[in-house]
Amino acid sequence: SQKIEQNSEALNIQEGKTATLTCNYTNYSPAYLQWYRQDPGRGPVFLLLIRENEKEKRKERLKVTFDTTLKQSLFHITASQPADSATYLCALLSGGSYIPTFGRGTSLIVHP
Amino acid sequence: GAGVSQSPSNKVTEKGKDVELRCDPISGHTALYWYRQSLGQGLEFLIYFQGNSAPDKSGLPSDRFSAERTGGSVSTLTIQRTQQEDSAVYLCASSLVSVSSYNEQFFGPGTRLTVL
């Protein structure tokens, strides 16, 4: 069955460092991969989308990579700030589908 | 502009009662989704509406769950004869399906349902 894995353990890093979050998947051939941010008590907020034929996407301090051979996406936040502390979710979409499958998310805690 | 809104924000009900949860999507968004999120769990897809097409109900966990979308806008998720395992946060999202912004979803704040 399709499976999306995100590290269930919280990632603790120091302010100013680069945070790297991982999204691995099996039994899936996604055409698109999305990353969302979710704060406690709120709905997820879309951050970035990357297509299967794209290796890397950047937006301000965010960078996403997509390796379809490794079946993995990495999400990087450079120069991290305490305000970046949140849960980050990855979501996969097959080609022609409009219903994403979400991972459970990884909590990021940036310490001042 | 206005985002996706949901009501109520919190709902406490007794086991066996019916509940209705409401979602107001962003104006002009043709796609509307309902998800369920339990503590420490990922987003569980429930149902998807797209324009005038028949909804994709493949995620509904039982026939106690149903949803409607009236006039291509407001949606109501109904849970009949609620059970304790229905306790979760119910999230609604809408999107403008297009090539340029492929399925970016805008989520509401959710309704926290507690079944006693």
Side-chain angles (χ1 to χ4, degrees):
Chain A
S1 61
Q2 297 174 344
K3 196 172 179 183
I4 301 172
E5 291 183 353
Q6 292 188 260
N7 198 336
S8 59
E9 289 187 14
L11 176 63
N12 286 272
I13 65 167
Q14 209 62 34
E15 182 176 10
K17 301 292 185 183
T18 296
T20 298
L21 306 175
T22 304
C23 176
N24 294 303
Y25 57 93
T26 56
N27 298 325
Y28 210 126
S29 296
Y32 305 85
L33 191 147
Q34 301 173 328
W35 282 89
Y36 288 79
R37 168 185 173 141
Q38 187 173 23
D39 291 281
R42 310 189 74 161
V45 175
F46 173 83
L47 296 174
L48 280 169
L49 175 145
I50 188 165
R51 294 174 170 78
E52 61 177 337
N53 59 352
E54 297 176 320
K55 296 293 184 186
E56 183 180 296
K57 200 77 156 302
R58 292 176 184 261
K59 179 182 177 182
E60 298 173 350
R61 293 185 297 112
L62 309 179
K63 184 177 87 170
V64 172
T65 63
F66 193 8
D67 189 325
T68 55
T69 300
L70 291 179
K71 296 186 180 296
Q72 180 181 80
S73 175
L74 298 179
F75 177 80
H76 306 273
I77 305 176
T78 58
S80 59
Q81 305 164 1
D84 295 327
S85 299
T87 296
Y88 291 85
L89 308 170
C90 69
L92 278 62
L93 286 129
S94 299
S97 172
Y98 293 96
I99 302 172
T101 303
F102 283 84
R104 294 187 177 187
T106 298
S107 174
L108 171 66
I109 303 169
V110 181
H111 299 276
Chain B
V4 177
S5 61
Q6 292 186 245
S7 61
S9 54
N10 279 284
K11 176 72 177 179
V12 180
T13 190
E14 292 180 349
K15 178 181 172 181
K17 301 282 189 183
D18 298 351
V19 295
E20 281 190 355
L21 312 180
R22 177 187 168 106
C23 172
D24 282 88
I26 293 173
S27 177
H29 279 192
T30 57
L32 186 147
Y33 305 75
W34 282 98
Y35 296 90
R36 178 168 70 175
Q37 188 173 37
S38 303
L39 189 63
Q41 300 297 311
L43 287 162
E44 177 188 2
F45 165 74
L46 297 176
I47 189 168
Y48 164 64
F49 296 90
Q50 168 56 34
N52 295 321
S53 303
D56 183 327
K57 305 179 183 180
S58 60
L60 294 178
S62 77
D63 58 8
R64 296 186 295 105
F65 288 73
S66 63
E68 289 184 340
R69 188 177 186 193
T70 54
S73 181
V74 172
S75 177
T76 302
L77 177 68
T78 302
I79 309 173
Q80 296 178 309
R81 305 182 301 283
T82 52
Q83 304 293 312
Q84 288 182 330
E85 60 263 28
D86 299 335
S87 297
V89 175
Y90 288 82
L91 288 159
C92 173
S94 69
S95 69
L96 181 63
V97 177
S98 70
V99 173
S100 60
S101 60
Y102 193 82
N103 205 36
E104 172 186 348
Q105 297 194 20
F106 294 81
F107 283 83
T111 293
R112 181 173 297 278
L113 175 66
T114 303
V115 182
L116 301 176

